[in-house]
Amino acid sequence: MIEFDLLFFEKNGGKINSDYFIDMGLESLKQILNDKEYNVFLETVCTPLNNAELIKERQKILKDFLDSPELIDCLQSICATAQNNKFIVRDLVYSKVTPKRKLIENLQVTSKSLDVPNELLATMRNKKFTSKTLLALYEQLNSTDIIREIKSRINEISNWVMKDCVSFDIQYGSGLKLKTSHIASAGSYSVKPKTGFIKRKKAQLAANEFAYNLDYILELQVGDLIERGIQNICSILSNINSYIISLTKKMFRQLLFYSAAIKIVNFGRQLGCSVIFPAFESKKIEAKSLYDIGLLVNSGSLNGMISNDLFGEEGFYLISGVNQGGKTTFLKSIGVAQLFAQNGLPVFAEEYDCPVYKNLVSHFPESEDMSFCYGRLAEELTRFHSLLPLIKDSALVLLNESFATTTEEEGYEIAFDVLRALSKVRPTLFFVTHNFRLLKSMNEISKKLENNMQIHSLIVDPGKSSTDRTYTIISGAPQEAVNGLEYITQSVGANHLNTYLFENKNQKTSHKNKECNCQ
């Protein structure tokens, strides 16, 4: 039984930033996963695959487990039970266990561990697998000749030692000089008292039987050799046992990822939500009836939940509209769907197709730095700067109201510089923003971007009235009406409205003075 990999982590696999999992609201999965499943799931998805073939193989493994839901439970149970097959550790001072007794105990434990491959095989028998990985695992377990041979050799050697018989294998060189000598157990002997310190021992050789008179010292030496032989056998048993325990421990941990995935899939299906495995045939993200998983888990129901469609173009997306209109939920649904897709997991949607990105990056607002080292804008810029190494390498970038902790004019200048810089490395960008200066300048900005990158606009469906909330994101031009009093209230909050107006009044006065000076 060789080491087996069910997850295929890549040496140069994809990455996400440290806040991505939390930004996407996936901590809510604690409500449907146990602690072990959650921790393994978190650790696994934080290293998304960027090889489409490996992703599809993970998909096939999960599909096989979904088709045989009892299989993964049985495999996990066997692997968990195998962890109990450990040698007894005794206190060296008070223990009076003989080496032979220790050997018997270790043989019993190792025998149980050697039965594990057969137990796994019995569980997988008569199952049809679409996954090459599970099929290869079954074929390996089905090679039972190796296990039988190991058991036979261990029992044979152990029997030699336990019978306390000595076999001499001596080779002479030139001049009848002793070249090599080996002593191994190979039969039985009897001990009879004799005068003095001399005892008679019967030793069985490979070809003939002879009786030898051995002095007491030689007998002690032979006994010591037999005891060391027992210790060597115990060492071999320990290595075999530890190896099987290690394999089953690793397999159990990998299976936890799939058991967590099954719980998530079953949760969606119980709600009546469609789940789909992406095909990775498109060069852009395309989705139909896409849901935010975190929102579904928190609500526990599909009632009142709004899905979204996305059939856009490559490039940058600016997402705008009133607050509480579904922009952040839409952003999270894209981020979670892509993370799940690149981990071989299904997406909560009727349709979902996408390219494979190297890295997934999120930049969501955080509270002001509690150490008072930075203001909010400085914190935003510092954090965004730390993300640049991930963004440079074929990334999906999700910005949620970034650079909004300053004036609209300064926020526009920063965002414009960021868009122009990112156009050089061509990520797919979804940017939720309230900066109307940026929104209304998107066509002019597009002309200044490199690599023919284009900016597209997604908006909150305005509905029938200003108070209507459809929570649906659609393609459309930014709504200038949102730049009025309602937009300001939604953007900065009613409590800060007077401050906002005062700052803008000062800015207008400053600009007017500058114009006068220029004249």
PDB file of all heavy atoms in Angstrom, residues 291 295-296 299 301-307 470-471:
ATOM      1  N   TYR A 291     -26.180  32.083  -6.717  1.00  0.00           N
ATOM      2  CA  TYR A 291     -26.513  32.470  -5.347  1.00  0.00           C
ATOM      3  C   TYR A 291     -25.241  32.681  -4.522  1.00  0.00           C
ATOM      4  O   TYR A 291     -24.186  32.085  -4.801  1.00  0.00           O
ATOM      5  CB  TYR A 291     -27.366  31.399  -4.663  1.00  0.00           C
ATOM      6  CG  TYR A 291     -28.799  31.330  -5.141  1.00  0.00           C
ATOM      7  CD1 TYR A 291     -29.164  30.422  -6.137  1.00  0.00           C
ATOM      8  CD2 TYR A 291     -29.781  32.144  -4.588  1.00  0.00           C
ATOM      9  CE1 TYR A 291     -30.487  30.349  -6.574  1.00  0.00           C
ATOM     10  CE2 TYR A 291     -31.097  32.071  -5.013  1.00  0.00           C
ATOM     11  CZ  TYR A 291     -31.447  31.175  -6.012  1.00  0.00           C
ATOM     12  OH  TYR A 291     -32.746  31.107  -6.441  1.00  0.00           O
ATOM     13  N   LEU A 295     -24.925  33.657   2.296  1.00  0.00           N
ATOM     14  CA  LEU A 295     -26.251  34.197   2.595  1.00  0.00           C
ATOM     15  C   LEU A 295     -27.270  33.068   2.763  1.00  0.00           C
ATOM     16  O   LEU A 295     -28.135  33.123   3.635  1.00  0.00           O
ATOM     17  CB  LEU A 295     -26.688  35.147   1.478  1.00  0.00           C
ATOM     18  CG  LEU A 295     -27.858  36.098   1.771  1.00  0.00           C
ATOM     19  CD1 LEU A 295     -27.509  37.011   2.933  1.00  0.00           C
ATOM     20  CD2 LEU A 295     -28.199  36.914   0.525  1.00  0.00           C
ATOM     21  N   LEU A 296     -27.159  32.041   1.927  1.00  0.00           N
ATOM     22  CA  LEU A 296     -28.073  30.897   2.037  1.00  0.00           C
ATOM     23  C   LEU A 296     -27.888  30.167   3.363  1.00  0.00           C
ATOM     24  O   LEU A 296     -28.858  29.756   4.001  1.00  0.00           O
ATOM     25  CB  LEU A 296     -27.844  29.925   0.875  1.00  0.00           C
ATOM     26  CG  LEU A 296     -28.282  30.386  -0.518  1.00  0.00           C
ATOM     27  CD1 LEU A 296     -27.950  29.313  -1.553  1.00  0.00           C
ATOM     28  CD2 LEU A 296     -29.769  30.705  -0.559  1.00  0.00           C
ATOM     29  N   SER A 299     -29.369  32.247   6.200  1.00  0.00           N
ATOM     30  CA  SER A 299     -30.829  32.320   6.185  1.00  0.00           C
ATOM     31  C   SER A 299     -31.459  30.948   6.393  1.00  0.00           C
ATOM     32  O   SER A 299     -32.547  30.832   6.959  1.00  0.00           O
ATOM     33  CB  SER A 299     -31.319  32.914   4.868  1.00  0.00           C
ATOM     34  OG  SER A 299     -31.018  32.050   3.781  1.00  0.00           O
ATOM     35  N   SER A 301     -32.739  29.152   4.185  1.00  0.00           N
ATOM     36  CA  SER A 301     -33.906  28.977   3.313  1.00  0.00           C
ATOM     37  C   SER A 301     -33.644  29.670   1.982  1.00  0.00           C
ATOM     38  O   SER A 301     -32.882  30.648   1.913  1.00  0.00           O
ATOM     39  CB  SER A 301     -35.156  29.557   3.971  1.00  0.00           C
ATOM     40  OG  SER A 301     -36.252  29.550   3.059  1.00  0.00           O
ATOM     41  N   LEU A 302     -34.284  29.165   0.951  1.00  0.00           N
ATOM     42  CA  LEU A 302     -34.186  29.784  -0.371  1.00  0.00           C
ATOM     43  C   LEU A 302     -35.256  30.848  -0.567  1.00  0.00           C
ATOM     44  O   LEU A 302     -35.190  31.627  -1.522  1.00  0.00           O
ATOM     45  CB  LEU A 302     -34.318  28.707  -1.454  1.00  0.00           C
ATOM     46  CG  LEU A 302     -33.778  29.033  -2.851  1.00  0.00           C
ATOM     47  CD1 LEU A 302     -32.296  29.310  -2.811  1.00  0.00           C
ATOM     48  CD2 LEU A 302     -34.081  27.881  -3.821  1.00  0.00           C
ATOM     49  N   ASN A 303     -36.216  30.897   0.348  1.00  0.00           N
ATOM     50  CA  ASN A 303     -37.309  31.867   0.238  1.00  0.00           C
ATOM     51  C   ASN A 303     -36.783  33.295   0.360  1.00  0.00           C
ATOM     52  O   ASN A 303     -36.078  33.637   1.318  1.00  0.00           O
ATOM     53  CB  ASN A 303     -38.358  31.622   1.320  1.00  0.00           C
ATOM     54  CG  ASN A 303     -39.044  30.283   1.167  1.00  0.00           C
ATOM     55  OD1 ASN A 303     -39.151  29.769   0.066  1.00  0.00           O
ATOM     56  ND2 ASN A 303     -39.503  29.705   2.277  1.00  0.00           N
ATOM     57  N   GLY A 304     -37.118  34.105  -0.605  1.00  0.00           N
ATOM     58  CA  GLY A 304     -36.704  35.500  -0.584  1.00  0.00           C
ATOM     59  C   GLY A 304     -35.291  35.736  -1.073  1.00  0.00           C
ATOM     60  O   GLY A 304     -34.853  36.888  -1.180  1.00  0.00           O
ATOM     61  N   MET A 305     -34.547  34.679  -1.377  1.00  0.00           N
ATOM     62  CA  MET A 305     -33.188  34.835  -1.860  1.00  0.00           C
ATOM     63  C   MET A 305     -33.196  35.176  -3.360  1.00  0.00           C
ATOM     64  O   MET A 305     -33.956  34.582  -4.129  1.00  0.00           O
ATOM     65  CB  MET A 305     -32.372  33.557  -1.644  1.00  0.00           C
ATOM     66  CG  MET A 305     -32.180  33.185  -0.179  1.00  0.00           C
ATOM     67  SD  MET A 305     -31.133  34.357   0.731  1.00  0.00           S
ATOM     68  CE  MET A 305     -32.395  35.219   1.689  1.00  0.00           C
ATOM     69  N   ILE A 306     -32.349  36.108  -3.748  1.00  0.00           N
ATOM     70  CA  ILE A 306     -32.277  36.563  -5.134  1.00  0.00           C
ATOM     71  C   ILE A 306     -30.991  36.055  -5.770  1.00  0.00           C
ATOM     72  O   ILE A 306     -29.910  36.191  -5.197  1.00  0.00           O
ATOM     73  CB  ILE A 306     -32.316  38.099  -5.220  1.00  0.00           C
ATOM     74  CG1 ILE A 306     -33.584  38.631  -4.533  1.00  0.00           C
ATOM     75  CG2 ILE A 306     -32.260  38.562  -6.663  1.00  0.00           C
ATOM     76  CD1 ILE A 306     -34.871  38.183  -5.157  1.00  0.00           C
ATOM     77  N   SER A 307     -31.130  35.455  -6.940  1.00  0.00           N
ATOM     78  CA  SER A 307     -29.943  35.020  -7.694  1.00  0.00           C
ATOM     79  C   SER A 307     -29.629  36.042  -8.777  1.00  0.00           C
ATOM     80  O   SER A 307     -30.450  36.909  -9.084  1.00  0.00           O
ATOM     81  CB  SER A 307     -30.187  33.651  -8.330  1.00  0.00           C
ATOM     82  OG  SER A 307     -31.259  33.721  -9.259  1.00  0.00           O
ATOM     83  N   THR A 470     -34.698  45.561  -5.586  1.00  0.00           N
ATOM     84  CA  THR A 470     -34.813  44.316  -6.352  1.00  0.00           C
ATOM     85  C   THR A 470     -33.691  43.352  -6.022  1.00  0.00           C
ATOM     86  O   THR A 470     -33.797  42.159  -6.272  1.00  0.00           O
ATOM     87  CB  THR A 470     -34.767  44.625  -7.855  1.00  0.00           C
ATOM     88  OG1 THR A 470     -33.486  45.167  -8.190  1.00  0.00           O
ATOM     89  CG2 THR A 470     -35.861  45.606  -8.249  1.00  0.00           C
ATOM     90  N   TYR A 471     -32.574  43.883  -5.496  1.00  0.00           N
ATOM     91  CA  TYR A 471     -31.388  43.096  -5.148  1.00  0.00           C
ATOM     92  C   TYR A 471     -30.837  42.349  -6.364  1.00  0.00           C
ATOM     93  O   TYR A 471     -30.186  41.321  -6.224  1.00  0.00           O
ATOM     94  CB  TYR A 471     -31.691  42.094  -4.020  1.00  0.00           C
ATOM     95  CG  TYR A 471     -32.247  42.768  -2.794  1.00  0.00           C
ATOM     96  CD1 TYR A 471     -33.601  42.687  -2.483  1.00  0.00           C
ATOM     97  CD2 TYR A 471     -31.422  43.513  -1.946  1.00  0.00           C
ATOM     98  CE1 TYR A 471     -34.119  43.309  -1.362  1.00  0.00           C
ATOM     99  CE2 TYR A 471     -31.929  44.144  -0.825  1.00  0.00           C
ATOM    100  CZ  TYR A 471     -33.271  44.040  -0.539  1.00  0.00           C
ATOM    101  OH  TYR A 471     -33.784  44.670   0.570  1.00  0.00           O
TER     102      TYR A 471
END
